Amino acid sequence: MNINQIESALSDIFNEPLKDGEQRKIVFWVDKDDEFTEDIQQLTVDNVKFHTLTDRNQFQTKYLLEEEDTTSPYLIYTNLELGVEDNWLADTVFYSKTFYADRISLILSELQIDPSLRAVIKKYERFFNNKERFKKFSALNIETYSEGLIELSIMSVLCNVKTPDFEEILKTVLMDTLEDTENRFLSLLEKFFDIEVFWKYVSNHYGYEREKKSLKTLFIQLVVTAFSQSVADEDIWDLEVFISNRNKTNAVVFIDHWMHHKTDYVIFDEYAEMAEQEIQLSNIINNLPIGIFKQADTFPYIDRAIIIYIANGLVTQLEDYEEYTKLIKLRRAKHYYDNFASIYEALYYTVKIHEFYKEHQQGIPQGRAIDLYKAYVNDYHLMDTYYRKFYVAYDEESNHDLLKKLKTLIEDLYTNWYMGELSSHWSQAVESEMTKDWSLPGVKNQQDFYSAFIDSKVRNGERVFVIVSDAMRYEIGVELAERLNTETTGVCDVETLLGVVPSITKLGMPSLLPHKEIDIDTNGRVFVDGKDSSGLENRKKIIASKVSESIAVHFQDVLSMNKAGRRETFKGKKLVYIYHDTIDAMGDKASTEVYTFNAVETSLNQLYDLVKIIRDDLSGTNVFITADHGFLYQRDELEESDKIAQGSIDAIEEKRRYIISKELNGVSGQLAINLSTIIKNDQQLTAYLPKATLRNKMQGSGINFVHGGASLQEVVVPLLTFKNKRTGQKGAKVIKKVDIKLTNTTRKVTNSIFNLEFFQTEKVEDKIIPRTVVIYMADEEGSVISNEETIIGDRSFDNPAERTFKLKFVLKSIPYNRNKTYYLTIKDTETGMVIEKIPFNINLGIISDFDF
C-alpha cells in the first residue's frame, strides 16, 4: 500500500457508523517493520487525532486515551507487538480495531497466524506474492500454525498436495522425474521456498544425509533401506552405503505406501527396475539362499530369482514340489505377482504335473475297462486339467525362454508318459471287452440320457433345462461343477455317461435327444426315429415331437436377450435345450485349434452365466449340463509315428479319428467296434477307431485337436445336475467368505517393528469361499501409519495350523500418544469394506532405530 491508499483505507474505517456501546473509533496501526515511519508525518485523516506508541510511553498513552481525552477518535501508530501479556493497553486494543498496511502483517492477519511467526512468513514472502498460491495455502484450513506446519503447507501448495504431509510431498517430487535439473517441483521449491529446508526434511524423515544430494540416489536409498528390513544386514553388506542409519521404518512405510497405491505404483515399478540395475541386485541375490529373500517385496528381480530357482529345480529334477508350491503361493500376496502371474501359473501347473507323475511313478497300471474308466473319473483326469491350465498360462508368455523349457518337460510327461500309457492300456481293455458291446457295468450310456434323467421329470410336470456344450470333456465339467458349487447357492452333482463312438457331434447330439432309435445312412447322415437330426431346427422338431411345450436355442441367442425377452421366449416351456459350441468351434478349425484351451476358459464363464440366467431370469431349478463328446488335444506337432494308414476299407465316412464302414475286417492299429448297441442299422456298421491317440493319415491340417475316437478324454462324457436352492430353502447353504482373525491377545505395541499372527477360521470348501484382505495400522483419523500386508485366505487344509499367517508390520517413526487409540484395520480387497478395526495402544517410549 502507498500512503494515499493507507489514507483512504483509514478514512473508511473511521467513517464507519459507531457500533452499540462504541463512543468513538480507536485504531491501532501496527507497522512491525517500520515501513511507514517517514510517511506518517504526511498522513491526514479528517477529524482524527494522531499518536505514536513506543515502548517508553505505553502508560502515558493509556492515560491519554482513558483520562485526558475520552471522546476524540485516535489513530495510534506503533511498531510494537500488541498481543504480549505485559502490554498496558491490552484491554484498549481488545475493544479497538487493529490496522496493518504492510504485506506480511496482512498475511499474518488474514491467515490468523501468530505474529511470533512473522519471520517465517517474511522468509517466504515471495511465495505469498501470488493470489493463486495464497488461495491454495489458505484452503488447507490450518487451525494452529507452527514454523514446521507453515513450511509443510508451502511445500504442499507448490507440489499440488492437498494436505501438509511430507510423505505425499516427497512422493510427488520423486514421481515427476528423478533428474534434478528437469524436476518441475524441485524447481518450484528452489524458486519459492528454500531447497535446503526441503533436503533437511528429507534427512529428518528418512535419514538421507549425503553431501551431494540427488533425487536418484534418494530413491535408491529409500528402496534399498526398505529392502533391508526383509533381509539380514550381513547378507547385503554391499548395499550398506544405501541403507539409512536412522528412521529406517519411515523408508519402509514410504515405499510400501507408494507400491500399494492404485495408480502411482506404475512409476514406482519403473524406478525400482532402474534401481536394481544401478545396485546390481542380481549379483547379490544370486549368491543368497532363496529363504533369505523370499519374503522381500521391493524389487522385481526378487520374483525373477524365485521363478528361476523353481524352474531350475524342475529342470534338474529336484523333487521339492511342496516347497515350490509354498513359494508360488507366498508370492501371490506380493507386489510384483501380477507382472509374473502367467509364469507363476505355468510353474504351478508344471509342479502339479510332476507331483502327479511322482504319485504314479510305478506307472499307470493295465486293468479292466471299468477300472480304468473309474480311475480316470476319480484321479487321472486331473492330468488333463493341469496340462490345459499350463497352456492357458503359457500362451500369455509364449515367447519366454523359461516357459519354452517348461513346455519340453510338460510334453514329455503328458504326451509321452501319461497319454502314452493311459491310452494304450485303455485301448487294450476296449479291444478285449467292448468291441462287440459298447457299454460298461454301472455306467449309463449317453444314448440313455433322456430316458434316464429327463423323461420322468417332464412327465411329472417339472420344468427342465438341458445345456449341451459341444466338446466339453469330463475334466472341464468337473471344474464347472466346482465353480457352481462354490459360487452359487445351488448344488451341482457330477456323474458320467459313456459317450457314443465314433465320438462325433452328429452322433453325440442325437444321442441326447428323446428317441427310440438312432440310425446312420450310407451318406453318413444321422436320423432319430427316422427324422434327420442335423442342425438346430431339426433337433427342435424332434424335441417338440416328444414334448410340445419345448424349445431349442443357441446359447448366444439367450445371452443376447434382455431379462424380459428371455421370460417371453421361454414362457410356458417345460423342456428347454440350449446348445453351446465355443470349444468345438475353436478346436475344429486348423487355423484356431491352438486356441482350444483359451476357448475352454471362455466356455466356463459362458456356461456359468447361462446357469445364472436360468436361475435368476427364468426361475429354473432343474438344470442338466452335458456334452456330445470330449476331445484329444496336444500342443506339440505330431510325429509321423502318431499317424497310421487307414488300410483298404470301403468307408461310409472317414476322418482323423474314425472310419465308419459296412465291412468287418481286422485292421492293424485300429479298434473295430460293432455299432449295433449304439445305432439300429440293418447293415451292421462298424466303427474303426485308431488305438491310443493315433490319427488316421489324411490330407490337410488340423491334427492336434481331434475327437471321434474311443479315448477316455473323448468318451467320458460329463453330466452335471444343477439343482437351485434358494436362500431359506431346505438344504440351502449360504455362500460366505472365510474370516481372517487376529490371534494375538495383546493389544499393545511397544516396538516399531512387530509381528502379528492371523488365522483363517474355516477351510475353503463348498459354499465357504476365499477372502483376500489387506491389513495395516491406522490412527483415529484413518491415516495409515504402517506398511500394508495382504492375506489370501484360500487355504483348504483341515489342520488349523496350516491356516495361520504370520505378518511383519513396521510403524512410521513419528511421535505416538500412549493415551490415544490406534486401529489394526482389516479390509476386504474385493469390496473395499473394512471388516474389522481392532483397537491398539502404541507405547514406543523413545523412538529407536535399533528395533529387532
Side-chain angles (χ1 to χ4, degrees), residues 307-467:
I307 286 167
I308 290 167
Y309 168 78
I310 297 172
N312 282 337
L314 291 167
V315 170
T316 56
Q317 300 180 340
L318 294 175
E319 297 180 349
D320 297 329
Y321 303 135
E322 186 177 352
E323 182 195 4
Y324 303 153
T325 300
K326 284 181 178 178
L327 276 172
I328 293 167
K329 290 189 173 181
L330 168 68
R331 298 311 296 180
R332 289 182 309 163
K334 301 299 182 181
H335 173 68
Y336 292 103
Y337 179 80
D338 286 348
N339 294 9
F340 302 98
S342 297
I343 299 174
Y344 274 123
E345 283 283 293
L347 277 173
Y348 177 77
Y349 286 108
T350 304
V351 171
K352 298 303 288 181
I353 284 175
H354 278 79
E355 282 183 328
F356 183 95
Y357 175 68
K358 187 176 181 180
E359 289 167 10
H360 301 84
Q361 57 190 345
Q362 301 303 317
I364 294 174
Q366 292 178 300
R368 296 184 308 151
I370 186 60
D371 294 332
L372 283 168
Y373 186 96
K374 287 180 178 178
Y376 180 78
V377 169
N378 296 327
D379 181 18
Y380 297 163
H381 74 274
L382 290 171
M383 195 68 156
D384 295 317
T385 301
Y386 300 153
Y387 182 77
R388 170 169 61 85
K389 293 288 190 181
F390 170 82
Y391 273 109
V392 170
Y394 175 88
D395 288 341
E396 293 291 321
E397 297 277 354
S398 57
N399 289 324
H400 202 292
D401 288 340
L402 182 145
L403 291 192
K404 289 177 181 177
K405 291 181 180 179
L406 294 183
K407 179 176 180 284
T408 302
L409 297 179
I410 293 294
E411 289 296 337
D412 182 52
L413 289 181
Y414 180 82
T415 304
N416 298 336
W417 171 72
Y418 167 74
M419 288 301 295
E421 290 196 9
L422 179 64
S423 60
S424 175
H425 296 165
W426 170 250
S427 290
Q428 291 172 30
V430 168
E431 190 166 34
S432 62
E433 301 176 41
M434 300 175 67
T435 55
K436 291 183 172 56
D437 180 5
W438 184 252
S439 65
L440 285 171
V443 180
K444 287 189 171 58
N445 288 332
Q446 187 178 28
Q447 58 269 37
D448 296 329
F449 165 73
Y450 187 86
S451 60
F453 298 96
I454 309 301
D455 188 50
S456 60
K457 290 188 179 294
V458 175
R459 287 178 181 275
N460 290 335
E462 294 184 55
R463 195 179 188 200
V464 179
F465 292 83
V466 177
I467 300 172

Side-chain angles (χ1 to χ4, degrees), residues 211-253:
E211 186 175 334
K212 185 178 180 182
K213 299 174 176 63
S214 75
L215 296 177
K216 185 174 182 180
T217 57
L218 169 59
F219 177 82
I220 293 174
Q221 180 160 320
L222 287 167
V223 76
V224 171
T225 301
F227 174 58
S228 73
Q229 295 299 295
S230 301
V231 293
D233 287 349
E234 60 267 22
D235 293 317
I236 54 170
W237 61 269
D238 287 349
L239 300 178
E240 186 179 10
V241 67
F242 289 112
I243 300 174
S244 298
N245 291 320
R246 56 190 179 83
N247 288 347
K248 292 181 182 179
T249 57
N250 278 352
V252 176
V253 176

Side-chain angles (χ1 to χ4, degrees), residues 165-211:
D165 177 357
F166 190 68
E167 180 178 310
E168 282 300 308
I169 292 165
L170 181 58
K171 187 179 78 169
T172 301
V173 172
L174 292 172
M175 282 185 61
D176 187 58
T177 175
L178 296 182
E179 296 296 329
D180 296 48
T181 56
E182 297 175 17
N183 190 291
R184 59 194 173 104
F185 296 117
L186 208 60
S187 175
L188 288 170
L189 290 168
E190 285 181 311
K191 191 173 182 179
F192 298 109
F193 188 59
D194 183 339
I195 199 64
E196 292 305 317
V197 173
F198 166 76
W199 286 115
K200 179 183 169 186
Y201 271 80
V202 172
S203 173
N204 290 341
H205 279 74
Y206 302 106
Y208 177 77
E209 296 173 339
R210 290 172 175 261
E211 186 175 334

